[in-house]
Amino acid sequence: MERAATVVTDAIARQWANDMGVVVFAGPGNNGGDALAVARMLAVRGYSVSVWLFNTTGRLSDDCKKNRDRLKDVKKLKSFVQVTEEFDPPVLDSSTLVVDGLFGSGLNKPLTGGFASLVKYVNASTAKVVSIDIPSGLMTESNEYNVRTNIIRADVTLTLQQPKLSFFFPENQQYIGNLKVLDIGISSEGIDATDAHFYVLEESDVRCRLLGRDAFAHKGTMGHALIIAGSRGMAGAAMLAAKACLRSGAGKVTVHTPKANVLPLQIGVPEAILDIDFDESIFSQAVETEHYKALGVGPGLGTNETTAITLIGQLRRAQCPVVIDADALNILANHKAWMQQIPAGAILTPHIGEFEKLEGVSTDSYERISKAMILAEHQQAYIVLKGHYTSIISPGGRVVFCPTGNAGMATAGSGDVLTGIITALLARGYKQGDACIVGTYLHGLAGDIAAEQYGQESLIASDIISCLPMAFKKLTS
């Protein structure tokens, strides 16, 4: 707790000068103990600190008691109030910094009564709020049944050692503010040895999975990928997937697409081989896959019933690893009984809307992740659930969050690019799990490089493809 309080105090001191009045709200548990220790350290550093310790049940944790007693020796403390019943809240204005140490990661039910009123009072003020470890009232995993008006809205959250699962969910960002993860000296060996369902990708996790390129390689040894994509008016989806596939190292890429898309593809992606469907406008003819190392299917395909029937025939006869995206997922959502015919080891890459068509609307992100874990196990498939923190769910129930990527990638065609990247990696010889991890990280990294060059507002999907070479170079340098 001393180590935690020290790094929290340092983080506060780096952001706010000691002319800021500090109000500390401490709860009865260890989160309150952290807050009391921070109050002591800030007072020693010359901050004007007022402390309210809430002990309405007469039960404090041992460490909270110890830090309460240590405050007695701090002569520079402005005030200390131990609240056992009702209290008059202090004035909170724009010159006040509130240190939120009411409740931490052990909370398992919504705040009610006086604590709920206090949270609402803090949220209604103009004070800056810094939460220790987690905003009070927010639970670390599911907040499905939480009362969201009773959660602190922090400007800064100083979380200890590891981010909490709920921090990765978009609906909770309004409470977290600017997140900073502080190292409090917990053993890295102990962390690495801990078995968990949830992980965050690091660059080292990707680097160690990268396959090298033999000096004597030729296009025949670098994998032949098949992309089935496009319908009349949707040649662009096929082009983006094909270009991304080529840029991600596949030796050869064949695109199966309707006749209407031939001219745009031949001009826009001259490196791709075309396999032309008999139909002028839609995907109507399944392709034998015995000569391909990977298949990516779905971008711009449409959901015509002929296409739907052709798709399920294509998936049934697939003899190589498969990436299923976009309209291929929409077709499966419209024919849920067909899900049983997806080959084991398939990779599904839905965005939230596509996933909810497959598995129904979820009340929050935790429920959605839980459904994806069940689906991955049931189908023995990999699910790449796209979002700010894209999550990769394996058949064994492991969830990996990807930290790369940015809001500029919320643009048409971005998902088609990811399909092309993962398909290329499968064709190159990556196992499905590794292709998901490397492909998702590369996709986000290329998007981050593109955002630096063009800005998030102006970023388009083809910019991600243009920046794939820099992403690869960054990971291999």
Side-chain angles (χ1 to χ4, degrees):
M1 191 169 284
E2 281 295 292
R3 293 203 307 270
T6 299
V7 296
V8 168
T9 303
D10 288 342
I12 291 172
R14 281 194 296 270
Q15 187 155 354
W16 290 283
N18 63 5
D19 58 354
M20 192 89 162
V22 178
V23 170
V24 176
F25 292 130
N30 282 345
N31 193 249
D34 289 331
L36 295 177
V38 168
R40 166 167 43 88
M41 295 177 185
L42 286 173
V44 169
R45 296 190 187 198
Y47 288 79
S48 176
V49 181
S50 302
V51 180
W52 275 262
L53 170 61
F54 293 87
N55 186 15
T56 55
T57 63
R59 295 190 301 272
L60 301 178
S61 72
D62 289 342
D63 284 341
C64 189
K65 284 180 186 176
K66 289 176 183 176
N67 277 295
R68 177 196 61 185
D69 296 339
R70 288 177 181 177
L71 275 177
K72 296 174 183 176
D73 299 325
V74 180
K75 296 181 174 55
K76 294 182 178 180
L77 199 67
K78 181 179 179 182
S79 65
F80 174 79
V81 177
Q82 187 165 197
V83 180
T84 56
E85 294 179 354
E86 295 183 359
F87 88 113
D88 292 324
V91 174
L92 304 178
D93 56 28
S94 58
S95 64
T96 306
L97 174 66
V98 172
V99 176
D100 162 36
L102 291 171
F103 294 97
S105 58
L107 188 71
N108 58 12
K109 59 184 178 181
L111 298 184
T112 58
F115 286 117
S117 298
L118 176 58
V119 166
K120 291 174 181 175
Y121 177 72
V122 172
N123 288 344
S125 75
T126 57
K128 295 294 184 183
V129 181
V130 56
S131 289
I132 299 174
D133 204 27
I134 186 169
S136 291
L138 185 66
M139 297 180 216
T140 56
E141 295 185 353
S142 175
N143 284 272
E144 179 180 0
Y145 301 109
N146 209 340
V147 180
R148 293 191 171 267
T149 55
N150 298 348
I151 302 173
I152 284 283
R153 294 177 183 268
D155 295 286
V156 176
T157 297
L158 302 175
T159 203
L160 306 178
Q161 199 67 47
Q162 302 280 9
K164 285 36 178 187
L165 180 60
S166 59
F167 293 177
F168 294 93
F169 301 151
E171 64 268 22
N172 297 330
Q173 301 313 304
Q174 59 185 311
Y175 310 110
I176 296 162
N178 182 19
L179 176 65
K180 297 180 181 179
V181 182
L182 304 181
D183 185 350
I184 62 171
I186 294 175
S187 162
S188 58
E189 291 82 2
I191 292 172
D192 292 340
T194 300
D195 186 27
H197 286 298
F198 302 97
Y199 295 82
V200 181
L201 268 183
E202 296 181 358
E203 187 175 299
S204 59
D205 298 319
V206 179
R207 284 178 177 269
C208 70
R209 287 174 164 83
L210 292 174
L211 297 181
R213 181 173 285 254
D214 189 273
F216 291 87
H218 55 81
K219 66 182 179 182
T221 62
M222 296 308 292
H224 191 172
L226 172 63
I227 299 289
I228 299 177
S231 55
R232 181 181 289 276
M234 295 297 289
M239 291 171 66
L240 289 167
K243 279 186 176 182
C245 197
L246 286 159
R247 278 291 186 195
S248 299
K252 292 187 286 185
V253 176
T254 291
V255 182
H256 181 86
T257 198
K259 291 179 182 179
N261 294 337
V262 170
L263 189 59
L265 277 158
Q266 285 189 322
I267 295 171
V269 197
E271 300 89 349
I273 304 163
L274 290 192
D275 184 68
I276 305 168
D277 197 280
F278 292 150
D279 196 280
E280 182 74 22
S281 302
I282 62 170
F283 171 47
S284 67
Q285 174 193 4
V287 182
E288 293 295 338
T289 58
E290 60 181 315
H291 300 300
Y292 298 100
K293 296 296 185 183
L295 163 64
V297 58
L301 214 58
T303 56
N304 179 283
E305 194 60 25
T306 298
T307 296
I309 294 167
T310 308
L311 171 70
I312 193 59
Q314 181 72 67
L315 293 176
R316 277 201 302 262
R317 70 171 65 183
Q319 296 175 275
C320 59
V322 178
V323 182
I324 305 173
D325 183 36
D327 281 331
L329 294 170
N330 291 327
I331 288 170
L332 291 171
N334 292 333
H335 303 81
K336 288 191 168 61
W338 292 358
M339 290 289 290
Q340 303 308 314
Q341 301 182 58
I342 294 174
I347 299 170
L348 282 62
T349 60
H351 57 57
I352 289 173
E354 291 162 346
F355 184 78
E356 292 198 333
K357 288 179 185 177
L358 283 170
E359 291 297 303
V361 176
S362 299
T363 55
D364 68 357
S365 297
Y366 182 82
E367 183 185 3
R368 189 176 301 113
I369 287 282
S370 300
K371 286 180 178 178
M373 293 169 73
I374 293 169
L375 180 63
E377 182 179 12
H378 180 69
Q379 296 289 156
Q380 286 299 290
Y382 295 83
I383 298 175
V384 180
L385 186 55
K386 294 177 286 197
H388 180 79
Y389 289 108
T390 292
S391 50
I392 302 159
I393 300 104
S394 68
R398 175 170 169 164
V399 179
V400 178
F401 292 100
C402 181
T404 59
N406 61 84
M409 298 171 70
T411 184
S414 181
D416 304 332
V417 174
L418 179 61
T419 295
I421 295 171
I422 296 176
T423 304
L425 297 176
L426 290 172
R428 285 272 283 108
Y430 287 80
K431 299 296 184 185
Q432 284 95 326
D434 290 343
C436 291
I437 286 172
V438 175
T440 303
Y441 193 93
L442 271 170
H443 180 250
L445 181 58
D448 289 339
I449 295 168
E452 289 178 7
Q453 291 188 3
Y454 306 111
Q456 291 188 12
E457 292 298 333
S458 297
L459 197 155
I460 58 175
S462 55
D463 296 333
I464 302 171
I465 300 172
S466 298
C467 292
L468 275 170
M470 285 78 87
F472 271 103
K473 285 180 71 174
K474 186 175 189 301
L475 289 176
T476 55
S477 61

